[in-house]
Amino acid sequence: MFKNNLTIAWRNILKHKLQTGINIAGLAIGIAGCLVVFLLSKYELAFNEKVVDADRIYRVYTQYNGQFSGVNAGVPTGVATLAATAVEGTDVQCLVQVYNTSVTIPTGQGAGILKRLGKQEDIVLTSPEFFDLIQNYEWLAGSPRQSLTEPYQLVLTERKVKQYFGVKDAREAIGMQVLYQDSLNTIVAGVLKDPDFSSDFHFTDFISDKTIASSFLKDNFPIDEWSGTRSADQFFVKASQGVSAETLTGNLKPLNDRFNKDNEPGEATDEFLLQPLADLHFNQDLGIFDTGRRPAHKPTLYGLMLIAGLLLLIAAINFVNLATVQATRRSKETGVRKVIGASRKQIAGQFLAETFLITLLALPVALALSELAMRYFSEFLPDGLTMSVQSPSVLAFLLGSVVLVTFLAGLYPSVVMSAFHPAFAIKNQSQHQSKGVGLRKGLIVFQFVLAQAFIIGSLIMGKQLNFVLKKDLGFDKEAIVYFWTDRANKKVLQEQLGRLPEVKGTALQNKPPIDRGYQTSVLEFDRDGEHKESEVHFRMVDTAYIGLFGIELLAGRNVLPSDTMKEVIINETFAKDLGFATPDEAVGQSVSNSKQSFPIVGVVKDFHVRSLHNKIPPLVITGANNSAYSVAAKISSDQTLSASLEKVKAVWEEVYPGKDFNPYFLDESVEKLYESETKTAKLINTATGLAIFISCLGLFGLAFFTVTQRSKEISVRKILGASIAGIVGLLSKDFLKLVLASLVLATPIAWYFMDKWLQDFAYRIGIQWWMFVVAGAVAVAVAFLTVSFQSVKAALANPVKSLRSE
Amino acid sequence: MIKTVQLSKIYRTDEVETTALNSVDIEIKQGEFVSVMGPSGCGKSTLLNVLGMIDSPSNGEYFFNELEVGGLSERKRSDVRKHNLGFVFQSFNLIDELTVFENVELPMLYTKVPANERKKRVEELLEGMSIMHRKNHFPQQLSGGQQQRVAVARAVVNKPKLILADEPTGNLDSANGDEVMKILADLNSTGTTILMVTHSQYCAEFGNRIIRMLDGTVVTENVVKRYL
């Protein structure tokens, strides 16, 4: 029976190539989308899952409350010291201090250098307890208690050993030297097998934390310190068996008490809280470690799942539509089968077998498309993400999707067809005609609601991105390049760059006018007995800064040359916040911090200091050369950029021999602020294209069958004098009505979601009525083209032919 | 074998009610060859559908082998049908996607006949109908007469007790029509009961009794002359 079902299914597939092609194309796109999203979700959601005792491991982070509320993934290092005696209910406590720095491999003889590796990530200072916290590591040589207890001891992973020393057997590295930051001389005392579990603990170089006290590191890594919190100093605990997160949070009270010891009465208390390990990979506010790796964004993952699911649904709808419209053609076959003894179950089974076969045929196409999609979207996908068809989870996913799609797409048609009354079916009279038509219309409307919502979405995203990238930010961002320097020689670099004819101007800065990161401080202002405190952004610069970036001075003068903060220029927003009616009024007044008062010497026109997600905040520009570690240069447009940059690079190498040349272009930095939005827009544009494509495939198929079914009517109309345009109109009208109806439904849905998306921007475009009109026009035009291909063919056909065949 | 008591069939749409069968009482014995005649729309095909259990009566009783089948569920009717009845239609109703062999084999798949037995029976029948050489062809590749022979083969492959034929020669020329009628007569001579709807007096007289219908009722029943 099954063989017979498959045989007939196969022959039907071959016979109806158009329908088969449409179904395979749609389903393959849908399945490919789902597969890629499945791989991505599986990859991201599996993070830290395999860590032993994952459910008992927590990161302790700092929560600031009150006026300047916020979080910091790190803790003051004093927390680790105090917790050892004061916090109960833990099996392991461990401080992990990220130390990203340059690595040098000496030859081991004299001062010879084997390799200079520049700045490396994933280096940490920690204690043997780290390996009690994360027990998954396998040791090739050494052990936690032998290899990480003495100063200058170093544990490396196998991969790093190979990179540093090029030895075949990683164990040979024991006793070899690695220099960090040019002069921290460490000795390899242990080697770990490369971790085979997926976790955020990507560390490759573990330096014994005992090294801090006996080396220059103690200047940068203060021990038992309570005054500052760096996100690079992270504290982990493993709760004892049976101790809940609530209990353990309560146990942190001694830490909170110590931290808030010097608070003024009534001041909000800051606190330490626990973040479960399972949240580590996903928390956008806390981040992962102090490295370039960014947490996965769960809402984006869910959004992707939704989009992939919708694409598959649109494809399944095509299947249902094409199958039901064909039900009439298949009704004779169904009737005959019933008459000679087939049960409903057997008939339904046969149609499901057909759907199964088509879905199966879509699989190889889907796999090929997934490969393509993974290349096209490589910027979205984490580096470690790969697809292997042999992997059990991919096989299980494919099997699951075939079963799901078979039922999703095949169930309704098979139920409808198996319910045919044999006496009617055998005469090709379907009794479900009118019901089928209603359903088909509903499904087309559903498809086009989605397609048009996508069109509106990508239109609005495109407009908003264009707006944020083209908006006048209040400063000049073209042809400006900047570098981060160390404190030494920044003036030398600035002077030498200034002498190049290719450089039109230079300035010292703590940051360019706009930047992802920010530095704020509280300034006070007193006038007429009123005291005001404001959180203010800072630009610590030299006198050339304002001119270099073309920032407009509205009142007063530029800052005078100074090494430390003595006077300030404020922006319009700050002036208004302080209650000045005009910029001129502010000049001559003073703001202060707890130690010192600073005269306001000028007011600049507002410019954007962060991405357009944020409102322009109160800002202070102050002359403070000592705090400005970055050199900015405006490149002349007389020569090509690359030629000028070569000259700049030569100067850099002269001033900083052996240091990496990393120029940042301001216009690129601005674009980078909207990296995630640009990626989202790319995704939505692709989804829009695919949604329109699959929907139109379905429409094309339906138009084909409708035209076939109505061929007699068309012929009679032509014989009676109908024009070609009239017939095309007649056949297209019904479809276009549905597309227009779906615009009505898509409008509020798209408006709701896009309005939400735009709310994330402090500066944004308004949603305009014409955007919906354009979306509707695009959908109508595409649908009309799709349908008219068939209807024009029908209108041009010889009417005698179809009447004779009747 | 067949007995109906006041059998009626009414078709209702939103606006129109059509009485296709109006209190029909007939009886057909095992081994008979009964022809049903009458003008178009008189209810012949409806009677065939109801007696063939592919449609249910609106009123009255229908006994098949003394079992009341009019009120059975679709599933039960389908069960009775596949073991007892064979159908031959005017337009052959072969499945276009299946070959001659597969078309004839199909009813046996539903009655779960083992594969080797199926092959044996199909080949015997196709041999008997002289179309064995076309067993791997598809219906569209055959002439009308050949298609109807395949349809007859399919109707008898499960050795039904009753064959229902709805104008089996309606789409055939006279030579092919004759051949099909001879096959039916032969089947009848080996004990198969046949109920055939036809417009043709010539074909009707292959049977031993003719029932004439008008407007959903049986008007006359005559025994064919040669059996008088």
Side-chain angles (χ1 to χ4, degrees):
Chain A
M1 190 76 237
F2 185 67
K3 185 175 150 257
N4 181 273
N5 281 347
L6 283 185
T7 308
I8 202 163
W10 180 243
R11 287 179 192 153
N12 260 310
I13 283 168
L14 292 182
K15 197 166 162 192
H16 304 287
K17 292 190 181 73
L18 175 75
Q19 187 187 3
T20 306
I22 289 173
N23 282 330
I24 288 181
L27 292 177
I29 292 172
I31 294 174
C34 289
L35 177 59
V36 174
V37 173
F38 165 77
L39 289 171
L40 178 66
S41 313
K42 185 174 156 285
Y43 177 85
E44 299 286 18
L45 296 173
F47 261 79
N48 304 325
E49 227 180 29
K50 295 244 163 72
V51 170
V52 177
D53 298 329
D55 54 335
R56 291 199 282 138
I57 298 175
Y58 300 92
R59 172 162 71 180
V60 179
Y61 67 94
T62 313
Q63 167 79 51
Y64 300 102
N65 295 314
Q67 191 183 356
F68 311 117
S69 64
V71 289
N72 190 323
V75 292
T77 53
V79 164
T81 322
L82 180 60
T85 53
V87 174
E88 292 175 349
T90 64
D91 285 351
V92 184
Q93 298 183 357
C94 175
L95 186 67
V96 179
Q97 295 176 279
V98 179
Y99 174 43
N100 293 335
T101 186
S102 64
V103 173
T104 311
I105 312 297
T107 53
Q109 288 155 0
I113 299 294
L114 185 69
K115 263 183 210 166
R116 262 183 210 284
L117 288 153
K119 191 175 174 186
Q120 302 285 304
E121 286 201 333
D122 304 324
I123 305 165
V124 286
L125 295 153
T126 191
S127 59
E129 281 74 31
F130 178 80
F131 297 96
D132 297 330
L133 184 80
I134 311 295
Q135 293 179 342
N136 301 54
Y137 288 95
E138 207 177 304
W139 288 74
L140 293 176
S143 73
R145 304 293 159 210
Q146 290 166 7
S147 312
L148 217 55
T149 42
E150 299 296 323
Y152 303 104
Q153 279 188 323
L154 170 68
V155 175
L156 294 174
T157 58
E158 213 179 343
R159 181 171 64 83
K160 274 284 154 153
V161 165
K162 285 189 181 138
Q163 187 194 351
Y164 290 172
F165 309 111
V167 291
K168 272 197 182 149
D169 183 353
R171 282 168 282 222
E172 288 171 35
I174 298 291
M176 290 187 171
Q177 277 177 284
V178 179
L179 289 180
Y180 291 93
Q181 213 176 345
D182 293 334
S183 52
L184 187 76
N185 195 348
T186 61
I187 307 287
V188 180
V191 178
L192 298 170
K193 205 168 167 217
D194 286 327
D196 58 354
F197 58 101
S198 161
S199 86
D200 285 309
F201 300 94
H202 294 280
F203 311 132
T204 53
D205 302 38
F206 302 81
I207 303 171
S208 161
D209 60 355
K210 301 282 184 306
T211 314
I212 299 174
S214 44
S215 70
F216 65 88
L217 287 179
K218 58 179 171 291
D219 297 336
N220 290 332
F221 293 89
I223 301 165
D224 201 8
E225 169 68 48
W226 284 93
S227 62
T229 308
R230 306 181 328 141
S231 56
D233 303 333
Q234 303 203 355
F235 188 54
F236 288 84
V237 294
K238 188 185 281 186
S240 306
Q241 289 284 7
V243 175
S244 68
E246 289 75 31
T247 311
L248 196 52
T249 308
N251 292 356
L252 300 179
K253 188 170 178 299
L255 304 179
N256 295 339
D257 292 345
R258 171 65 186 81
F259 196 40
N260 294 298
K261 195 174 69 151
D262 302 325
N263 280 9
E264 306 270 330
E267 194 177 328
T269 53
D270 301 330
E271 58 193 326
F272 298 108
L273 296 173
L274 297 176
Q275 179 194 22
L277 187 60
D279 184 52
L280 193 71
H281 191 64
F282 302 102
N283 194 310
Q284 303 292 312
D285 297 327
L286 289 171
I288 304 178
F289 285 96
D290 204 22
T291 63
R293 293 190 186 88
R294 293 174 67 181
H297 193 229
K298 267 191 182 164
T300 303
L301 276 184
Y302 297 144
L304 286 173
M305 287 181 196
L306 182 71
I307 289 177
L310 287 176
L311 287 179
L312 190 60
L313 191 61
I314 294 179
I317 286 177
N318 278 351
F319 197 102
V320 173
N321 270 349
L322 293 179
T324 54
V325 82
Q326 281 208 82
T328 326
R329 190 177 56 73
R330 300 288 297 271
S331 80
K332 187 187 101 175
E333 178 199 326
T334 310
V336 172
R337 282 174 179 275
K338 281 202 149 183
V339 166
I340 59 180
S343 64
R344 269 195 81 161
K345 232 195 262 170
Q346 283 163 327
I347 300 276
Q350 188 213 328
F351 285 103
L352 281 176
E354 253 180 73
T355 319
F356 173 76
L357 204 58
I358 289 180
T359 316
L360 215 55
L361 288 175
L363 272 195
V365 186
L367 286 173
L369 288 176
S370 315
E371 283 286 346
L372 279 181
M374 285 175 74
R375 265 181 234 167
Y376 182 65
F377 286 112
S378 56
E379 64 197 289
F380 272 94
L381 305 172
D383 292 337
L385 183 68
T386 51
M387 178 171 74
S388 155
V389 184
Q390 286 97 21
S391 96
S393 61
V394 170
L395 283 178
F397 172 83
L398 292 177
L399 186 73
S401 59
V402 168
V403 172
L404 176 79
V405 170
T406 300
F407 280 96
L408 193 68
L411 200 61
Y412 179 77
S414 63
V415 166
V416 167
M417 292 204 220
S418 66
F420 280 170
H421 194 296
F424 295 101
I426 212 152
K427 289 178 186 149
N428 263 351
Q429 294 170 345
S430 164
Q431 318 91 66
H432 292 267
Q433 280 289 49
S434 56
K435 201 166 128 199
V437 169
L439 177 89
R440 269 201 298 284
K441 283 185 175 169
L443 291 178
I444 294 174
V445 167
F446 181 76
Q447 283 183 317
F448 273 85
V449 165
L450 292 179
Q452 292 187 80
F454 275 127
I455 297 177
I456 297 167
S458 53
L459 204 72
I460 292 176
M461 278 190 179
K463 289 291 286 177
Q464 172 67 14
L465 275 180
N466 191 49
F467 170 76
V468 296
L469 291 174
K470 297 274 162 65
K471 186 175 188 300
D472 180 9
L473 298 174
F475 59 86
D476 191 4
K477 64 177 188 208
E478 302 306 324
I480 286 185
V481 64
Y482 59 99
F483 316 89
W484 298 100
T485 70
D486 54 21
R487 290 160 209 235
N489 292 343
K490 64 184 180 194
K491 283 294 252 180
V492 181
L493 179 72
Q494 186 187 18
E495 274 164 30
Q496 295 206 10
L497 284 178
R499 275 189 227 129
L500 289 177
E502 288 82 6
V503 169
K504 275 167 59 182
T506 61
L508 286 177
Q509 57 180 13
N510 69 333
K511 279 174 191 311
I514 198 165
D515 198 43
R516 189 186 288 279
Y518 57 94
Q519 182 176 350
T520 62
S521 188
V522 175
L523 288 181
E524 296 165 16
F525 177 67
D526 291 284
R527 189 162 73 163
D528 305 331
E530 202 184 318
H531 178 77
K532 197 172 165 74
E533 284 187 9
S534 311
E535 190 184 12
V536 181
H537 285 241
F538 271 74
R539 290 291 178 273
M540 301 166 119
V541 301
D542 66 359
T543 52
Y545 185 82
I546 288 183
L548 187 81
F549 289 104
I551 295 166
E552 195 183 331
L553 199 60
L554 297 175
R557 59 163 172 83
N558 194 358
V559 286
L560 296 173
S562 169
D563 285 338
T564 56
M565 178 166 165
K566 291 201 175 98
E567 54 184 20
V568 297
I569 294 175
I570 63 173
N571 70 350
E572 271 176 292
T573 300
F574 194 18
K576 276 181 206 147
D577 276 6
L578 295 179
F580 300 117
T582 64
D584 289 309
E585 227 179 85
V587 178
Q589 303 285 332
S590 293
V591 287
S592 60
N593 61 18
S594 52
K595 297 174 191 150
Q596 209 182 331
S597 172
F598 309 100
I600 299 170
V601 297
V603 176
V604 288
K605 198 166 172 206
D606 273 344
F607 58 87
H608 288 275
V609 298
R610 296 180 70 194
S611 77
L612 266 61
H613 291 101
N614 309 286
K615 278 209 170 309
I616 295 177
L619 172 91
V620 149
I621 299 176
T622 179
N625 288 352
N626 285 355
S627 305
Y629 305 135
S630 168
V631 176
K634 190 169 176 71
I635 307 290
S636 144
S637 54
D638 297 346
Q639 287 190 29
T640 61
L641 186 67
S642 58
S644 307
L645 211 58
E646 275 307 308
K647 297 271 177 66
V648 172
K649 189 179 176 190
V651 170
W652 170 274
E653 282 166 354
E654 206 175 296
V655 180
Y656 296 111
K659 290 235 158 98
D660 290 344
F661 176 68
N662 283 324
Y664 293 86
F665 295 92
L666 187 54
D667 48 359
E668 281 177 14
S669 301
V670 171
E671 278 171 29
K672 275 205 164 169
L673 295 174
Y674 308 106
E675 220 176 357
S676 91
E677 284 80 8
T678 312
K679 281 183 185 171
T680 311
K682 182 175 171 183
L683 194 78
I684 295 293
N685 288 345
T686 313
T688 306
L690 290 177
I692 296 176
F693 177 69
I694 307 178
S695 304
C696 283
L697 272 184
L699 207 56
F700 186 80
L702 282 181
F704 174 78
F705 288 113
T706 310
V707 165
T708 315
Q709 274 174 358
R710 291 175 73 174
S711 60
K712 185 178 163 194
E713 177 201 338
I714 296 165
S715 302
V716 172
R717 281 176 187 271
K718 273 190 88 171
I719 288 167
L720 296 176
S723 68
I724 290 174
I727 287 172
V728 171
L730 173 85
L731 290 171
S732 311
K733 183 179 75 195
D734 289 345
F735 288 113
L736 297 184
K737 267 196 236 159
L738 298 179
V739 176
L740 284 174
S742 47
L743 176 65
V744 175
L745 292 172
T747 298
I749 298 172
W751 189 88
Y752 173 78
F753 284 106
M754 291 324 293
D755 188 58
K756 262 189 126 172
W757 184 77
L758 284 172
Q759 291 302 326
D760 212 20
F761 290 88
Y763 301 87
R764 54 185 178 253
I765 56 164
I767 298 180
Q768 309 275 335
W769 62 268
W770 61 261
M771 294 168 177
F772 299 96
V773 174
V774 168
V778 168
V780 166
V782 175
F784 181 73
L785 277 177
T786 309
V787 174
S788 63
F789 181 82
Q790 296 293 351
S791 51
V792 168
K793 214 165 78 181
L796 292 175
N798 181 356
V800 179
K801 257 189 186 171
S802 80
L803 284 181
R804 196 170 39 209
S805 70
E806 280 289 316
Chain B
M1 179 178 229
I2 284 176
K3 188 179 180 206
T4 69
V5 182
Q6 297 289 299
L7 195 71
S8 298
K9 178 72 189 176
I10 298 161
Y11 291 110
R12 290 188 181 88
T13 60
D14 291 343
E15 288 147 21
V16 192
E17 197 178 276
T18 316
T19 306
L21 291 179
N22 190 3
S23 306
V24 173
D25 295 317
I26 53 169
E27 202 172 341
I28 296 169
K29 296 202 167 62
Q30 176 94 41
E32 272 195 296
F33 185 156
V34 178
S35 305
V36 181
M37 295 190 74
S40 293
C42 70
K44 310 184 291 283
S45 293
T46 306
L47 179 68
L48 205 72
N49 286 343
V50 172
L51 297 183
M53 292 174 238
I54 56 178
D55 207 347
S56 51
S58 310
N59 283 306
E61 290 168 310
Y62 168 25
F63 295 93
F64 181 81
N65 278 346
E66 291 169 11
L67 172 74
E68 210 290 311
V69 292
L72 291 183
S73 69
E74 195 197 321
R75 199 173 58 79
K76 288 220 169 106
R77 282 206 311 250
S78 157
D79 213 39
V80 175
R81 195 164 63 219
K82 71 183 169 193
H83 288 111
N84 295 289
L85 309 184
F87 290 85
V88 180
F89 303 95
Q90 178 180 2
S91 53
F92 325 135
N93 280 339
L94 297 174
I95 294 177
D96 294 341
E97 286 76 19
L98 296 180
T99 62
V100 165
F101 184 96
E102 288 160 351
N103 262 292
V104 179
E105 185 193 26
L106 191 59
M108 292 187 287
L109 292 174
Y110 296 123
T111 48
K112 301 199 166 63
V113 177
N116 45 6
E117 171 69 15
R118 291 203 302 266
K119 186 164 183 282
K120 199 178 118 218
R121 275 205 232 168
V122 173
E123 284 176 351
E124 266 173 24
L125 275 169
L126 292 179
E127 208 70 76
M129 307 261 179
S130 314
I131 38 173
M132 186 57 185
H133 59 295
R134 315 221 60 172
K135 70 170 183 175
N136 290 325
H137 287 75
F138 287 94
Q140 309 91 297
Q141 298 168 309
L142 305 183
S143 73
Q146 286 171 327
Q147 288 192 45
Q148 195 61 303
R149 272 183 278 157
V150 176
V152 174
R154 184 180 66 184
V156 300
V157 76
N158 264 338
K159 300 180 180 151
K161 296 185 180 75
L162 171 67
I163 287 182
L164 297 141
D166 192 354
E167 300 200 35
T169 60
N171 280 5
L172 301 177
D173 59 32
S174 58
N176 276 312
D178 256 6
E179 212 168 313
V180 167
M181 286 315 301
K182 274 184 195 137
I183 293 170
L184 291 176
D186 285 350
L187 283 167
N188 179 240
S189 66
T190 57
T192 311
T193 312
I194 295 177
L195 178 65
M196 175 180 73
V197 162
T198 181
H199 275 119
S200 151
Q201 181 68 34
Y202 172 75
C203 290
E205 288 181 2
F206 275 82
N208 46 24
R209 187 151 61 102
I210 299 175
I211 296 174
R212 287 179 197 278
M213 292 183 69
L214 186 67
D215 297 338
T217 55
V218 174
V219 284
T220 59
E221 281 188 57
N222 313 98
V223 176
V224 172
K225 277 180 201 154
R226 66 175 187 276
Y227 291 98
L228 285 171

